[in-house]
Amino acid sequence: MIKRIKRSLLLVAILGLTALFFACVGPETSNGNEVTSVLYQSANTPIPDRVNDLVSQMTLEEKVGQMTQVDRQFLVSENHIKKYFLGSLLSGGGSAPSVNTPESWADMTDGYQEKALETRLSIPLIYGIDAVHGHNNVYGATVFPHNIGLGATGDEDLIYRIAAATAEEVRATGIDWNFGPCITVPQDERWGRHYEGFGEEPQLVSRLGAAAITGYQGENLSDSTTILAGAKHFLADGGTEGGRDRGDAKISEEELRRIHLFPYYAAIEAGAGNVMASFSSWNGEQMHGNKYLLQDVLRGELGFDGFTVSDWAALTLLPGNYDQQVALGINAGIDMVMVPDDYIRFIQSMIRNVEDGNIPVERIDEAVSNILVKKFELGLFEDPFAPRDLLETVGSDAHRAIGREAVAKSQVLLKNEGSILPLSNDIKNLVVIGSLSDNIGAQCGGWTISWQGSSGDITPGTSVLDGIKELVGENTTIYTSLDDASGVDIDAIICVVGERPYAEMQGDNSKLELAFAHKNFIEEASNHSSGAPVITLLISGRPLMMTPQIEMSDAFIASWLPGTEGGGVADVLFGDYNPTGKLPVSWPRDISQVPVNVGDENYDPLYPFGFGLSY
Ligand code: GLC
């Protein structure tokens, strides 16, 4: 609390001194040293006037600084925030303070803001992070299902509430910009980011993407509980050949618009304040250099009026030498560059490019203005510090309840022979096997605590097994191996199988096979002498090629990547929630069908888009 008072006093002092200085010495011509006008500091001034007043007195170095985003782990010194007038920091996946607690995140970001406020014009930072399924970098935060599971719910109100809860947890830590929602329309299950999309069908993605944006940004961006939403990745990140991450979408403009551009209409209508460019290419042209799509289409046709950001070091993928790459990206319409490491080199290149006439000053002023509008709308000039009163919301029971609701609604019941589900809470002998049954890290998937995610107890939560234990009666015995249940009259066997955590290109997979050990779990269970019914749960970011294993199971549920609230899976298993989930993607019979999407000719998947059983 004392820190917060100190910071507020600092803010008042800066504002007071600036006003006093102006009163004493009067307006001076700006040679980059004096503040010639404090009009931009006044919250009562219309934002366009605040922007014009501020830009008109900024030096080229200050403008370029605003366009520079650095991952905090690469800061040579925190003083470089001031020295290079940095406008934005980010935490890439896993880029956390040494002590990963919500409070230490808030202390870290507030410390960075103090440095930014020491600059001549006291322009606050905007801080970005991938809170793609809750505030997933922060230990103890609520981790919601990844988007593919939310796609299975089809529930806009639920996605709105998840986004609003996430916004509170993110803002509590002094962060004000989410690199999300990802409104990709993944067309190929082999893509390592398949689970980051709500589904394969543009209308579904459009509805849920807009709901997320509205949840993040709320009614008023300047509210202390809202954050800027960043729709990503523009454009056709999910349409690349072979599902290769950062690959080439070799498709017609008609398909590009019908499938991949479609969700951006609703996203912009919902007021998305930021758009992130895609690493991928369209018919051989890198998205980060595609002026037609970044300017003519995104701004000209769709009316996007926020700011764009590059993806991680993506300008270096453009043709030419470094200066040419920078000029190409900025002139194509990239406003802010996620450098994110060698920021001094980037800044020097920008200055050279402007001085050599390769980047017009008008383009710089346009980019800086786009960025500053959002900083003013967020209220960062009034109060850039973490609203500490929100810290109690991080991982709160209320947020976890929303997570559990989302998990239950995301379960897709694909098979239920003889209606063996729902199980009775009074079941006597239950076997729960599979290496993913008691594994928080696996059920969270990638983008959790670290970039790739990891197996095990990586953050507080309820595993699937924990959830089952909570719901069974006192007369139930749970065995976690078939050997332990030898000779027992088993009533049911639950096998929890699936994928280990992964993110981005590390999840690209040309076979989509279940691990051999996981196939074994199911085969052993289905051949067990007890003849007990087998219920298979798949924890994965996408359909896997497991038709034989599904045939061996009496019941089969796609659980996707549920996050920390595994109790929602048990809610469906025991009928506390009657499953309503519907497939957001088509389920291939085997790899020869991949990619398969609703609307294809001769469409004949194992389970079609929109399929899902209830009790
Ligand atoms: C990554 C991803 C992007 C993410 C960014 C910052 O490479 O492509 O989705 O927002 O870098 O972590």
Short mmCIF file of all heavy atoms in Angstrom, two decimals, residues 71 90-93 129-130 132 179-180 182 193 196 232-233 245-246 276-277 279 310-312 338 447 451 504-505, ligand 1:
data_model
loop_
_atom_site.label_atom_id
_atom_site.label_comp_id
_atom_site.label_asym_id
_atom_site.label_seq_id
_atom_site.Cartn_x
_atom_site.Cartn_y
_atom_site.Cartn_z
N ASP A 71 11.22 -7.49 -24.75
CA ASP A 71 10.91 -8.46 -23.69
C ASP A 71 11.77 -8.11 -22.48
O ASP A 71 12.99 -7.98 -22.58
CB ASP A 71 11.20 -9.89 -24.15
CG ASP A 71 10.72 -10.91 -23.12
OD1 ASP A 71 11.05 -10.76 -21.92
OD2 ASP A 71 10.02 -11.86 -23.50
N LEU A 90 7.19 -6.49 -22.95
CA LEU A 90 6.34 -7.69 -22.93
C LEU A 90 7.01 -8.75 -22.07
O LEU A 90 8.21 -8.69 -21.79
CB LEU A 90 6.13 -8.25 -24.34
CG LEU A 90 7.26 -9.11 -24.93
CD1 LEU A 90 6.68 -10.31 -25.66
CD2 LEU A 90 8.15 -8.30 -25.85
N SER A 91 6.20 -9.71 -21.68
CA SER A 91 6.72 -10.97 -21.15
C SER A 91 6.35 -12.04 -22.15
O SER A 91 5.17 -12.36 -22.32
CB SER A 91 6.10 -11.29 -19.79
OG SER A 91 6.75 -10.58 -18.76
N GLY A 92 7.36 -12.57 -22.86
CA GLY A 92 7.10 -13.74 -23.70
C GLY A 92 6.81 -14.93 -22.79
O GLY A 92 6.94 -14.83 -21.56
N GLY A 93 6.43 -16.04 -23.35
CA GLY A 93 6.07 -17.20 -22.54
C GLY A 93 7.15 -17.53 -21.52
O GLY A 93 8.29 -17.80 -21.88
N ILE A 129 1.28 -9.28 -22.91
CA ILE A 129 1.55 -10.66 -22.48
C ILE A 129 0.56 -11.60 -23.16
O ILE A 129 -0.51 -11.17 -23.60
CB ILE A 129 1.44 -10.78 -20.94
CG1 ILE A 129 2.16 -12.03 -20.43
CG2 ILE A 129 -0.02 -10.76 -20.49
CD1 ILE A 129 2.44 -12.02 -18.95
N ASP A 130 0.94 -12.87 -23.26
CA ASP A 130 0.04 -13.89 -23.83
C ASP A 130 -0.80 -14.49 -22.71
O ASP A 130 -0.45 -15.54 -22.15
CB ASP A 130 0.85 -15.01 -24.49
CG ASP A 130 1.70 -14.49 -25.62
OD1 ASP A 130 1.17 -14.33 -26.73
OD2 ASP A 130 2.89 -14.21 -25.37
N VAL A 132 -3.48 -16.22 -22.88
CA VAL A 132 -4.33 -16.83 -23.92
C VAL A 132 -5.35 -17.82 -23.36
O VAL A 132 -6.29 -18.22 -24.06
CB VAL A 132 -3.46 -17.51 -24.99
CG1 VAL A 132 -2.67 -16.47 -25.78
CG2 VAL A 132 -2.51 -18.53 -24.38
N PHE A 179 -2.05 -10.31 -25.76
CA PHE A 179 -1.85 -10.78 -27.13
C PHE A 179 -2.90 -11.88 -27.39
O PHE A 179 -2.58 -13.04 -27.53
CB PHE A 179 -0.44 -11.34 -27.31
CG PHE A 179 0.68 -10.39 -27.00
CD1 PHE A 179 1.79 -10.84 -26.29
CD2 PHE A 179 0.63 -9.06 -27.39
CE1 PHE A 179 2.85 -9.97 -26.00
CE2 PHE A 179 1.68 -8.20 -27.10
CZ PHE A 179 2.78 -8.65 -26.40
N GLY A 180 -4.11 -11.43 -27.38
CA GLY A 180 -5.22 -12.37 -27.55
C GLY A 180 -6.51 -11.58 -27.63
O GLY A 180 -6.56 -10.43 -27.21
N CYS A 182 -6.61 -15.18 -29.96
CA CYS A 182 -6.16 -15.73 -31.24
C CYS A 182 -7.42 -16.11 -32.02
O CYS A 182 -8.16 -16.99 -31.61
CB CYS A 182 -5.27 -16.95 -30.98
SG CYS A 182 -4.57 -17.64 -32.49
N ARG A 193 -0.37 -25.07 -33.38
CA ARG A 193 -1.16 -24.05 -32.69
C ARG A 193 -2.67 -24.30 -32.90
O ARG A 193 -3.49 -23.42 -32.64
CB ARG A 193 -0.79 -22.66 -33.18
CG ARG A 193 0.70 -22.40 -33.14
CD ARG A 193 1.07 -20.95 -33.33
NE ARG A 193 0.72 -20.16 -32.13
CZ ARG A 193 1.19 -18.92 -31.93
NH1 ARG A 193 1.97 -18.34 -32.83
NH2 ARG A 193 0.85 -18.25 -30.83
N GLU A 196 -5.07 -23.26 -30.30
CA GLU A 196 -5.23 -21.83 -29.98
C GLU A 196 -6.42 -21.22 -30.71
O GLU A 196 -6.81 -20.09 -30.45
CB GLU A 196 -3.95 -21.06 -30.32
CG GLU A 196 -2.77 -21.44 -29.43
CD GLU A 196 -1.57 -20.53 -29.64
OE1 GLU A 196 -1.70 -19.31 -29.53
OE2 GLU A 196 -0.48 -21.05 -29.92
N LYS A 232 -5.20 -11.89 -33.15
CA LYS A 232 -4.03 -12.40 -33.85
C LYS A 232 -4.34 -13.71 -34.53
O LYS A 232 -5.34 -14.38 -34.17
CB LYS A 232 -2.85 -12.56 -32.88
CG LYS A 232 -2.99 -13.68 -31.85
CD LYS A 232 -1.81 -13.67 -30.88
CE LYS A 232 -1.89 -14.81 -29.90
NZ LYS A 232 -0.78 -14.80 -28.92
N HIS A 233 -3.48 -14.25 -35.50
CA HIS A 233 -2.38 -13.52 -36.11
C HIS A 233 -2.81 -13.20 -37.53
O HIS A 233 -3.21 -14.12 -38.27
CB HIS A 233 -1.12 -14.38 -36.16
CG HIS A 233 -0.74 -15.01 -34.85
ND1 HIS A 233 -1.37 -16.15 -34.34
CD2 HIS A 233 0.17 -14.69 -33.93
CE1 HIS A 233 -0.82 -16.47 -33.18
NE2 HIS A 233 0.11 -15.60 -32.91
N ASP A 245 3.71 -24.56 -39.01
CA ASP A 245 3.72 -23.30 -38.29
C ASP A 245 4.66 -22.32 -38.98
O ASP A 245 5.78 -22.69 -39.35
CB ASP A 245 4.16 -23.51 -36.84
CG ASP A 245 3.98 -22.26 -36.00
OD1 ASP A 245 2.94 -21.59 -36.19
OD2 ASP A 245 4.86 -21.91 -35.21
N ARG A 246 4.18 -21.08 -39.17
CA ARG A 246 4.94 -20.01 -39.83
C ARG A 246 5.17 -20.34 -41.31
O ARG A 246 6.06 -19.79 -41.94
CB ARG A 246 6.28 -19.77 -39.13
CG ARG A 246 6.12 -19.56 -37.63
CD ARG A 246 7.39 -19.20 -36.91
NE ARG A 246 7.12 -19.04 -35.48
CZ ARG A 246 7.98 -18.52 -34.60
NH1 ARG A 246 9.16 -18.10 -35.03
NH2 ARG A 246 7.69 -18.40 -33.32
N MET A 276 -2.10 -8.31 -34.20
CA MET A 276 -0.73 -8.80 -34.36
C MET A 276 -0.60 -9.48 -35.72
O MET A 276 -1.43 -10.31 -36.10
CB MET A 276 -0.38 -9.80 -33.26
CG MET A 276 1.05 -10.31 -33.34
SD MET A 276 1.46 -11.54 -32.10
CE MET A 276 1.43 -10.56 -30.62
N ALA A 277 0.49 -9.12 -36.42
CA ALA A 277 0.73 -9.72 -37.74
C ALA A 277 1.19 -11.16 -37.55
O ALA A 277 1.74 -11.54 -36.52
CB ALA A 277 1.77 -8.91 -38.49
N PHE A 279 3.37 -14.62 -38.53
CA PHE A 279 4.66 -15.10 -39.05
C PHE A 279 4.48 -15.70 -40.44
O PHE A 279 5.45 -15.82 -41.19
CB PHE A 279 5.20 -16.22 -38.14
CG PHE A 279 5.97 -15.79 -36.95
CD1 PHE A 279 5.52 -16.08 -35.68
CD2 PHE A 279 7.17 -15.09 -37.09
CE1 PHE A 279 6.26 -15.71 -34.55
CE2 PHE A 279 7.91 -14.72 -35.97
CZ PHE A 279 7.44 -15.03 -34.71
N SER A 310 4.18 -6.28 -34.58
CA SER A 310 4.79 -7.43 -35.25
C SER A 310 4.80 -8.61 -34.29
O SER A 310 4.60 -8.45 -33.09
CB SER A 310 6.24 -7.09 -35.64
OG SER A 310 7.06 -7.13 -34.46
N ASP A 311 5.07 -9.78 -34.82
CA ASP A 311 5.30 -10.92 -33.93
C ASP A 311 6.79 -10.96 -33.59
O ASP A 311 7.60 -10.19 -34.11
CB ASP A 311 4.82 -12.22 -34.59
CG ASP A 311 4.46 -13.28 -33.56
OD1 ASP A 311 5.00 -13.22 -32.44
OD2 ASP A 311 3.65 -14.16 -33.87
N TRP A 312 7.15 -11.86 -32.71
CA TRP A 312 8.48 -11.99 -32.11
C TRP A 312 9.60 -12.02 -33.15
O TRP A 312 9.75 -13.00 -33.88
CB TRP A 312 8.49 -13.27 -31.29
CG TRP A 312 9.68 -13.55 -30.47
CD1 TRP A 312 10.85 -14.09 -30.88
CD2 TRP A 312 9.82 -13.35 -29.05
NE1 TRP A 312 11.72 -14.24 -29.83
CE2 TRP A 312 11.11 -13.80 -28.69
CE3 TRP A 312 9.00 -12.86 -28.03
CZ2 TRP A 312 11.59 -13.75 -27.38
CZ3 TRP A 312 9.47 -12.82 -26.73
CH2 TRP A 312 10.74 -13.25 -26.41
N MET A 338 7.79 -5.86 -32.00
CA MET A 338 8.20 -6.76 -30.92
C MET A 338 9.60 -7.24 -31.28
O MET A 338 9.77 -8.23 -31.99
CB MET A 338 7.22 -7.92 -30.80
CG MET A 338 7.47 -8.84 -29.64
SD MET A 338 6.47 -10.33 -29.70
CE MET A 338 4.80 -9.67 -29.62
N TRP A 447 1.80 -22.78 -23.27
CA TRP A 447 1.49 -21.42 -22.76
C TRP A 447 1.00 -21.47 -21.33
O TRP A 447 0.01 -20.81 -20.97
CB TRP A 447 0.44 -20.74 -23.64
CG TRP A 447 0.86 -20.47 -25.04
CD1 TRP A 447 0.48 -21.14 -26.16
CD2 TRP A 447 1.78 -19.46 -25.49
NE1 TRP A 447 1.10 -20.62 -27.27
CE2 TRP A 447 1.90 -19.60 -26.90
CE3 TRP A 447 2.51 -18.46 -24.85
CZ2 TRP A 447 2.73 -18.76 -27.67
CZ3 TRP A 447 3.34 -17.64 -25.62
CH2 TRP A 447 3.43 -17.78 -27.02
N TRP A 451 6.64 -21.13 -21.85
CA TRP A 451 6.18 -21.06 -23.24
C TRP A 451 5.61 -22.40 -23.71
O TRP A 451 4.45 -22.46 -24.16
CB TRP A 451 7.36 -20.64 -24.11
CG TRP A 451 7.08 -20.59 -25.60
CD1 TRP A 451 5.96 -20.11 -26.21
CD2 TRP A 451 7.96 -21.03 -26.63
NE1 TRP A 451 6.09 -20.22 -27.58
CE2 TRP A 451 7.31 -20.78 -27.87
CE3 TRP A 451 9.23 -21.59 -26.66
CZ2 TRP A 451 7.89 -21.08 -29.10
CZ3 TRP A 451 9.81 -21.89 -27.89
CH2 TRP A 451 9.14 -21.65 -29.08
N GLU A 504 3.35 -23.69 -30.48
CA GLU A 504 3.87 -23.23 -31.77
C GLU A 504 4.50 -24.38 -32.56
O GLU A 504 3.98 -25.50 -32.59
CB GLU A 504 4.83 -22.07 -31.55
CG GLU A 504 4.15 -20.87 -30.87
CD GLU A 504 4.96 -19.60 -30.95
OE1 GLU A 504 5.30 -19.18 -32.07
OE2 GLU A 504 5.23 -19.01 -29.89
N MET A 505 5.65 -24.11 -33.17
CA MET A 505 6.22 -25.07 -34.12
C MET A 505 6.58 -26.37 -33.44
O MET A 505 6.65 -27.43 -34.06
CB MET A 505 7.43 -24.46 -34.82
CG MET A 505 8.70 -24.31 -33.99
SD MET A 505 8.57 -23.16 -32.61
CE MET A 505 8.53 -21.59 -33.48
C1 GLC B 1 5.09 -15.85 -30.24
C2 GLC B 1 3.73 -16.03 -30.88
C3 GLC B 1 2.74 -14.94 -30.54
C4 GLC B 1 3.04 -14.37 -29.18
C5 GLC B 1 4.40 -13.72 -29.23
C6 GLC B 1 4.82 -13.17 -27.85
O1 GLC B 1 6.09 -16.26 -31.13
O2 GLC B 1 3.70 -16.22 -32.30
O3 GLC B 1 1.43 -15.54 -30.60
O4 GLC B 1 2.05 -13.40 -28.85
O5 GLC B 1 5.41 -14.58 -29.70
O6 GLC B 1 4.95 -14.23 -26.95
#
